[in-house]
Amino acid sequence: MAAAKLTIGYVLALPVADSVFMGGAMVTDAFGLPLEFRYTEPVRATKLQRVLYGDVLEKYIQADVIAGNLVGRLEQKPELILVFDSNLLTAMDGSKQKIVSIAPGRGAPLKEYGAVQDGADGEFFMQLTESGAPMRIRFQLTGAAATDATRKAEITRILTDCGRTMDLLEPQARVEAAVKMLWEEAPETPTG
């Protein structure tokens, strides 16, 4: 598929106040232009939920309640969804979408744009700029070596193609800014 026809999704869930969370999802074309944006209303954890869920409450709300819901509601089905929190990656494993966690890596640049260096299982580093450190990419393994290799090849192809026409990290900052703006303008108290 030509880069111009590729679409990338960005999904995030974040705390906006004490025990209050919101999320946003944006689908862009290969140039970073928005095609669709969705967001959740504020979700407030109840006292009972805080007691019952304990330390996993934040992960549950952000991944299952918010991010999973947003991905399911997208009308555009992007070729790849990028998340910047690995908790979202593991929680959305059941989604039929290709989802990866992406983060700036550390270390010396790889030898050329598009170069890949393997890391731990389900992780690799990829040079997506002409200079600077490679990106750290994580994806959920299926357990079938051939399937995982195919998924990795598809992920690297999409990232390579879109990385030539856009800054792959920048749209996530727009989603985060939009969610924070919506929170600041929220006229009512969030419900649980």
Side-chain angles (χ1 to χ4, degrees), residues 31-42:
F31 300 98
L33 297 172
L35 301 173
E36 179 179 4
F37 177 74
R38 301 247 177 214
Y39 65 94
T40 64
E41 294 298 322

Side-chain angles (χ1 to χ4, degrees), residues 103-178:
R106 296 187 181 131
L110 301 180
K111 68 178 185 176
E112 63 187 14
Y113 179 86
V116 173
Q117 178 183 337
D118 287 329
D121 285 344
E123 176 181 280
F124 59 94
F125 296 86
M126 187 171 183
Q127 191 66 42
L128 291 169
T129 59
E130 295 301 328
S131 62
M135 294 292 167
R136 178 177 176 231
I137 314 294
R138 294 181 61 207
F139 67 101
Q140 285 297 108
L141 296 172
T142 64
T147 301
D148 291 338
T150 300
R151 286 179 77 195
K152 180 180 173 184
E154 290 172 358
I155 291 165
T156 58
R157 177 189 56 79
I158 294 166
L159 291 174
T160 301
D161 288 350
C162 288
R164 290 185 193 285
T165 57
M166 67 183 287
D167 175 348
L168 288 164
L169 301 180
E170 187 274 336
Q172 184 75 1
R174 287 188 269 152
V175 175
E176 184 172 343

Side-chain angles (χ1 to χ4, degrees), residues 51-81:
V51 170
L52 293 175
Y53 284 85
D55 292 342
V56 298
L57 177 64
E58 187 171 323
K59 179 180 176 181
Y60 167 73
I61 289 175
Q62 290 183 322
D64 295 341
V65 175
I66 294 176
N69 184 2
L70 286 167
V71 170
R73 288 187 6 224
L74 288 173
E75 290 180 16
Q76 301 273 333
K77 299 301 180 197
E79 279 72 31
L80 187 64
I81 294 176

